[in-house]
Amino acid sequence: MRIGILNSGGDCPGLNAVIHGVVGAASKLGWEVIGFRDGFEGLLPPGDYRVLDPEDTVGIMKLGGTILGTTNRGDFASKVGTHDLSAIADSIVEKAKRTMDQLEIRALIVVGGDGSLSTALHLYREGFPVIGVPKTIDNDLQATAMTFGFDSAVNCVVDALDRVHTTAMSHKRVMVVETMGRSAGWIALWGGIAGGANVVLIPEIPFSYEKVAQCILDRESKGYLSSVVVVAEGTQLPEDEQCEPGELNSHENRFGGVGDMIAEKIQQLTGKETRACTLGHLQRGGAPTSLDRILGMRFGVKAVELAREGAFGQMVSYEAYHVGSVTIEEAVHQVRKVDPQGEVVKTARAVGISLGDC
Ligand code: F6P
């Protein structure tokens, strides 16, 4: 029996732990694992792959990135931006099928986020024996309570905030730190709470510049001369609220940059020197945390179990401390957003963090 694994879309700390889990569990069953390079592109004839022996995966768990390479572009990209879906050409599907047949791949484990899992679903519907494994630092897939990579990204934000606090204090400045997360505020909210932010702005909660400025000035009147504002990259600016429902706001298609705009406005309204800092891909790089290593490995082992059961079209999921599975169909196209009335938001408010709204 031979199975394949590929990771697709943006990289994410913990991908190598998944590979480690898959190869370990498969070798116990006497199966051979083929690792396709650079996502689905590796499926194109003649096939770009390497055989993964257990020895190849020794020590990879602690490495960031992925030993297989990945891409979120190319012939299989089914999702380009938030609203852009493109069909995969039949000729491309046929070519991938040829590679699968030639290599006698009996199960294909696809490790990816919403876009890559949409591609996986497409291939499953075309008869590919696909098993999905959810991956995204954004933690925004509806069908799983958590994805590996999220904890590492949050830790990066916390580390950055620890540093930003000290320079903000020295200069009595406002520092605005922009995090990733696309249209969900998980990284900003968790990172902001754990890193002691004073204001956290997320896409799920509309904010007003005046409230943010008020919070900063209130702090100043109490003797706190610096403030740290965390802003999720997908946060909607107040000026974008004029958009019709479903219409793109001015920055939605180019995540990154909203922090600069908010910093400028804060400086105008408070008269305080304000600097912006975009964390960007720092949040995706580097070694995974222990939580992400374990979660990734558990996901990999579960994926092999699903392959053994022939449970194709399923995606590994995590719910209530248990690794189980759901159909890939249930998992895709449903962004899991922060609940504005939820317990984590309430926690933030309870400890005095402003969400920019009240
Ligand atoms: O979805 C993961 C993510 O890191 C987002 O948080 C971010 O907006 C996007 O990918 C960045 O993608 P790229 O690496 O293509 O710039």
Side-chain angles (χ1 to χ4, degrees), residues 6-21:
L6 60 84
N7 36 239
S8 170
D11 69 349
C12 176
L15 280 172
N16 287 323
V18 178
I19 296 169
H20 184 70

Side-chain angles (χ1 to χ4, degrees), residues 102-122:
Q102 270 166 7
L103 292 172
E104 299 181 344
I105 304 285
R106 299 290 176 248
L108 179 66
I109 296 171
V110 175
V111 192
D114 192 46
S116 308
L117 290 169
S118 303
T119 302
L121 181 61
H122 185 127

